[in-house]
Amino acid sequence: MKSKSLLFIATFAMALNLNATTNITWWHAMGGRLGEVVNEMATRFNNSQSEYKVTPIYKGGYEDTMTAGIAAYRAHQAPDIIQIFDAGAATIIGAKGVVYPVADLFDKYGVKFNAQDYISGVRNFYADSKGRMIGSPFNSSTPVMYYNKDAFKKAGIKNPPATWEEFEKDAVLLKKVGYIGLSQSLSPWTAGENFMSRHNLQMANKNNGFDGFATKIYYENPAMDYHWDKLRSWSLKGYFKYYGRGWADNQQAFYDQKVAMWLGSSGSFGGLKKGAKFSFGTTYLPYWKKFINPGAQTFIGGAALFVFSGKSDKKYKGIAKFLQYLTTPKMQYFWHKSTGYVPITKAAYALAKKDGYYKTTPDAEIGIKQLSLPTQKWTKGYRLGNYVQIREIMTIEFENILNGKKTAKQAFTDLDKKADKLLARFARTYR
Amino acid sequence: MKKVQFNNKFIPYLFVSPQIIIILVFFIWPSIMAIYYSFVMQDAFGVSTQFVWFQNYKDALLNSDYYSSFGFTLIFSTLVTFFSLGTGLFLAHKTNSMIKSRGIYRTLLMWPYALAPAVVGLMASFFFNQSHGDVYHFLNQLGWKFDPTSDPFSAQAMLVFIASWKQVSVNFIFFLSGLQGIPKSVLEASFIDCKSNSKRFWTIIFPLLAPTTFFLFITNITYSFFDTFGMIDTTTRGTPMGETKTLAYKIYQDGFLGADIGGSSAQSVILMLFVLIITIFQFKYLEKKVHY
């Protein structure tokens, strides 16, 4: 009896103690191993101080997480921090007053913050046109090319292709030794948005949508037309194969050594390392020498952390601290090493370098190097509304090209027309 | 016999109220909300709302993707209804003529009914997977260049197959009970009059099953319009080339993934009207031919 009441008192005391800490909920979309790393980061923060307790909650994929956040906000039950993916950024930023911009948050709660500390491909994507950050970049990756070193050796190729012109020659040699040249995951990202950035091409009017609601998209252009007509002819010749729109299906083909090169995320690195039964290397996304030389920088994909408005002062203080904690070089390096996502600050990159991480795993550096190429006019990213639907149309039009139903020019003319309508709808809805 | 009657006027209403409340909360209210949202443009987070009259309807109906989705839905639902009704009837007829093992067959054939559509889709995505799916490899060995990720026809065929398979068990059990409800005397009389099995089936049994068939016809159409959502989401997700996208799936993509509430509400109101028209049509013209 006595022990029972003691237990009761103990529990009660613990509950009181918990009340003293401020709880911060963080909804995220990082499943599996990534989710474990997220939990680890939150735990480390919680152990580093006693005032705040961050609770990460996995909400499913990117879209599911965003939908859950929308539903929660409408029901006045919004979490404190939410992870929103690149294509959804315009939706949350465009809705007035929903988000507390992190630059303002840091200013108000005395967190030192300088956008120049971030590596250049990361800095602008979630910022406004003046470069003030609205979301805090979190899991950031950029498309890179993975190549099967064994296959290249067999085919007698020394270096991975830097340009698509070289690729075209290498693919012939690879085919002779039984490999399909290339597959690519998430085509809108690897062979659409970042293709445009790599060739320094404008994606949409109003400064790619950063200066206001864009109304015109420019996918129909000579470089895109040329590239996608090439992809079609390569697929007929057996130099390229499209394994559907699923991310994993295209990666699997590289894994199974059916294709020798794969365009994927610099974040896929960790997973590939575990299971691949061959040695592989990483290199920059190829570019067409015909259109640009050397290739320009790419921008980040992945997601950022957004802070909901309307929370208490106490919470915001904790959130500011937590976000600052996440961007410390130590945490960024830990994140980079355990997941393959790029470190988002220059200091974290320097730390990884100093630690000799890239000496043992040089492939992990490619993404950062590609993101750190000098910023050019059209390499900052995009801010386009209804972009999830636009990506859907892009995928459909890509498939139309690859199935030979349309030429690239036709397909992209149609794409631009449909996308412009969606942009107009967005501008009208969010004005 | 003494009639049992309530003295209080309100007690009957009390008894039906749970059903009424369920209908109001889960059917009527959402429908009204959908109609409301279809006339406004609202950002995802509900911060700003503007009344736009028929703009959402215009945008939906002027979009060529909408019609390809419409076309697929029609073909898909026709095929699924045909195959699942046909197979269900065939199995029920065969099982009904068994004497010994009828019970076992009945139980076994009911099993797929217990599966949620999403689970059926998940299973199919394993069977039809291009890197380790048995059915995928089998079909390719037969010489069909089966590839649901890039060939629309393959993907559509796969969906029709799994959607029909899932629905066969329901149709089977309804047909079986329908068959067992046919009076023995009628059957015996027909045995004397007609020797041909198939003729007896089509002229006596099938017409007597008409009420069951009619009921199943309507439920199968609504099934293929709406319930197949889970299967599509776990298999093709509308791919390739957007040619396996039913109207219900398109509404989900635009509304939930794309966060366009006005646009998807307008589409769902159109779908609601369409299904209403089909149902009215069926009751008006088909039901006349059904004899209870």
Side-chain angles (χ1 to χ4, degrees):
Chain A
M1 201 59 208
K2 212 171 194 182
S3 68
K4 241 186 190 170
S5 56
L6 266 179
L7 193 74
F8 177 72
I9 290 169
T11 330
F12 192 61
M14 259 165 74
L16 272 182
N17 193 25
L18 276 180
N19 274 343
T21 60
T22 306
N23 283 306
I24 294 165
T25 47
W26 171 19
W27 286 7
H28 66 85
M30 306 270 87
R33 168 80 188 127
L34 296 175
E36 288 166 25
V37 182
V38 161
N39 289 339
E40 170 70 24
M41 288 167 100
T43 310
R44 284 194 192 183
F45 173 73
N46 293 340
N47 293 340
S48 74
Q49 44 75 47
S50 58
E51 258 177 288
Y52 310 101
K53 185 169 179 282
V54 173
T55 315
I57 298 166
Y58 174 60
K59 279 285 169 185
Y62 283 141
E63 280 112 343
D64 302 320
T65 306
M66 186 161 101
T67 311
I70 289 169
Y73 183 87
R74 284 173 161 258
H76 306 289
Q77 303 277 331
D80 302 313
I81 305 172
I82 190 168
Q83 183 187 11
I84 298 284
F85 68 131
D86 46 8
T91 304
I92 191 164
I93 293 172
K96 278 178 200 78
V98 169
V99 165
Y100 193 160
V102 290
D104 298 350
L105 182 81
F106 287 157
D107 276 356
K108 184 156 181 209
Y109 296 94
V111 173
K112 257 192 248 148
F113 168 75
N114 182 3
Q116 294 305 316
D117 294 344
Y118 288 75
I119 58 176
S120 65
V122 174
R123 201 181 298 147
N124 298 302
F125 198 91
Y126 302 103
D128 64 16
S129 56
K130 287 171 214 109
R132 278 182 73 75
M133 273 192 196
I134 302 167
S136 177
F138 181 56
N139 59 316
S140 308
S141 58
T142 202
V144 293
M145 188 161 86
Y146 293 96
Y147 65 100
N148 184 330
K149 282 185 179 165
D150 299 353
F152 273 62
K153 215 178 258 169
K154 257 190 240 167
I157 308 166
K158 269 193 191 142
N159 293 314
T163 62
W164 288 115
E165 281 90 351
E166 287 173 37
F167 167 85
E168 214 168 7
K169 285 178 197 149
D170 294 345
V172 182
L173 300 174
L174 285 162
K175 200 190 168 184
K176 278 185 190 148
V177 289
Y179 287 92
I180 299 168
L182 178 81
S183 69
Q184 64 194 24
S185 287
L186 193 58
S187 297
W189 185 56
T190 52
E193 296 138 26
N194 278 290
F195 178 88
M196 301 281 273
S197 179
R198 192 91 171 108
H199 294 82
N200 193 24
L201 294 167
Q202 185 176 6
M203 245 175 95
N205 67 344
K206 303 261 175 83
N207 186 20
N208 279 0
F210 281 110
D211 289 350
F213 294 114
T215 49
K216 287 240 169 294
I217 212 160
Y218 304 126
Y219 276 120
E220 202 287 301
N221 63 61
M224 279 288 279
D225 294 352
Y226 187 78
H227 184 62
W228 276 90
D229 278 334
K230 276 286 182 191
L231 283 174
R232 159 73 177 158
S233 76
W234 290 342
S235 74
L236 291 176
K237 288 178 191 155
Y239 303 159
F240 167 76
K241 189 163 157 91
Y242 179 70
Y243 292 88
R245 76 165 60 179
W247 179 282
D249 292 331
N250 290 287
Q251 185 174 356
Q252 188 71 35
F254 180 68
Y255 227 67
D256 294 344
Q257 307 204 52
K258 285 183 197 158
V259 301
M261 284 168 262
W262 171 60
L263 303 187
S265 154
S266 55
S268 312
F269 179 72
L272 269 182
K273 216 159 71 175
K274 253 185 204 164
K277 292 189 187 71
F278 52 91
S279 64
F280 67 87
T282 315
T283 187
Y284 293 152
L285 204 65
Y287 56 89
W288 283 104
K289 215 171 160 183
K290 189 176 152 88
F291 292 103
I292 191 169
N293 197 24
Q297 165 198 42
T298 55
F299 51 76
I300 48 167
L305 302 183
F306 287 89
V307 181
F308 275 111
S309 60
K311 305 285 176 187
S312 70
D313 233 31
K314 222 171 153 190
K315 275 200 173 181
Y316 281 138
K317 220 171 150 186
I319 293 167
K321 273 208 171 130
F322 176 59
L323 293 180
Q324 185 191 26
Y325 183 80
L326 285 183
T327 47
T328 53
K330 218 177 121 194
M331 285 316 282
Q332 278 300 315
Y333 180 35
F334 166 68
W335 174 245
H336 176 43
K337 235 171 125 174
S338 355
T339 63
Y341 282 117
V342 299
I344 52 178
T345 60
K346 288 176 184 164
Y349 178 34
L351 177 67
K353 247 188 195 163
K354 208 179 116 198
D355 198 42
Y357 180 50
Y358 304 123
K359 287 216 174 85
T360 49
T361 35
D363 298 323
E365 199 180 5
I366 298 296
I368 315 151
K369 277 188 166 166
Q370 189 174 293
L371 283 169
S372 309
L373 294 172
T375 305
Q376 300 196 34
K377 190 152 191 218
W378 303 114
T379 63
K380 289 179 191 157
Y382 61 91
R383 173 85 30 85
L384 300 174
N386 280 338
Y387 202 69
V388 175
Q389 289 96 312
I390 294 178
R391 269 192 179 168
E392 172 73 21
I393 298 169
M394 282 170 86
T395 312
I396 290 172
E397 294 300 348
F398 289 162
E399 285 166 348
N400 280 333
I401 298 169
L402 294 174
N403 273 334
K405 224 172 131 182
K406 291 182 186 172
T407 64
K409 197 177 169 73
Q410 265 174 333
F412 293 140
T413 310
D414 293 351
L415 163 64
D416 287 356
K417 245 188 242 157
K418 285 180 187 167
D420 289 351
K421 271 189 198 147
L422 283 166
L423 288 174
R425 266 188 77 83
F426 190 83
R428 199 167 159 193
T429 309
Y430 284 74
R431 62 175 176 199
Chain B
M1 250 213 300
K2 209 186 139 198
K3 251 188 179 174
V4 181
Q5 219 165 24
F6 295 116
N7 293 327
N8 194 320
K9 265 188 188 170
F10 298 103
I11 286 182
Y13 293 104
L14 187 73
F15 285 148
V16 293
S17 65
Q19 183 65 32
I20 302 272
I21 288 171
I22 286 173
I23 290 177
L24 283 177
V25 171
F26 291 103
F27 296 93
I28 307 292
W29 186 55
S31 306
I32 291 172
M33 288 312 278
I35 293 169
Y36 163 71
Y37 280 123
S38 71
F39 287 106
V40 300
M41 275 189 178
Q42 189 183 60
D43 68 280
F45 290 87
V47 183
S48 72
T49 310
Q50 336 155 27
F51 191 74
V52 291
W53 285 107
F54 289 93
Q55 187 63 40
N56 290 324
Y57 290 91
K58 244 177 156 173
D59 286 349
L61 292 173
L62 290 177
N63 187 346
S64 62
D65 292 343
Y66 188 76
Y67 294 99
S68 65
S69 172
F70 199 86
F72 171 69
T73 313
L74 284 187
I75 295 168
F76 176 72
S77 55
T78 311
L79 290 177
V80 169
T81 306
F82 177 75
F83 285 123
S84 61
L85 277 181
T87 320
L89 179 58
F90 175 77
L91 290 173
H93 184 58
K94 288 287 170 201
T95 310
N96 195 37
S97 51
M98 285 177 170
I99 298 164
K100 267 191 184 161
S101 42
R102 190 195 286 174
I104 298 172
Y105 274 94
R106 198 171 50 201
T107 313
L108 288 179
L109 281 168
M110 256 320 269
W111 276 7
Y113 185 53
L115 291 174
V119 176
V120 174
L122 211 59
M123 277 164 35
S125 72
F126 291 130
F127 281 124
F128 292 92
N129 186 288
Q130 56 187 344
S131 70
H132 45 256
D134 291 333
V135 181
Y136 176 88
H137 291 301
F138 175 70
L139 290 174
N140 275 288
Q141 261 159 19
L142 286 183
W144 177 8
K145 281 205 166 144
F146 178 81
D147 183 10
T149 56
S150 59
D151 171 36
F153 181 73
S154 304
Q156 290 166 342
M158 174 181 82
L159 276 180
V160 168
F161 175 75
I162 60 172
S164 310
W165 178 82
K166 159 88 179 91
Q167 194 64 1
V168 161
S169 55
V170 188
N171 296 339
F172 163 77
I173 211 74
F174 272 96
F175 274 131
L176 190 64
S177 67
L179 284 170
Q180 285 169 354
I182 296 175
K184 277 260 157 59
S185 53
V186 176
L187 289 176
E188 275 159 13
S190 74
F191 265 114
I192 296 166
D193 285 344
C194 175
K195 221 170 82 179
S196 157
N197 256 329
S198 68
K199 196 174 178 193
R200 224 167 41 235
F201 178 81
W202 290 114
T203 53
I204 306 288
I205 299 176
F206 189 67
L208 284 173
L209 277 178
T212 314
T213 314
F214 178 63
F215 164 76
L216 286 177
F217 184 68
I218 290 175
T219 48
N220 275 270
I221 285 193
T222 29
Y223 159 82
S224 41
F225 264 71
F226 300 103
D227 294 355
T228 48
F229 172 86
M231 281 170 214
I232 296 174
D233 196 48
T234 43
T235 51
T236 64
R237 299 196 140 212
T239 63
M241 292 148 84
E243 298 210 17
T244 59
K245 207 182 282 178
T246 57
L247 289 170
Y249 198 74
K250 186 169 160 48
I251 290 167
Y252 160 76
Q253 273 193 330
D254 288 352
F256 284 84
L257 303 182
D260 177 5
I261 293 159
S264 70
S265 294
Q267 290 176 39
S268 63
V269 171
I270 297 172
L271 182 60
M272 193 157 78
L273 290 175
F274 182 68
V275 173
L276 200 70
I277 290 167
I278 297 187
T279 316
I280 290 173
F281 181 82
Q282 284 168 335
F283 270 99
K284 252 197 135 152
Y285 294 96
L286 273 180
E287 208 193 7
K288 275 187 189 158
K289 297 189 176 152
V290 174
H291 305 285
Y292 289 98

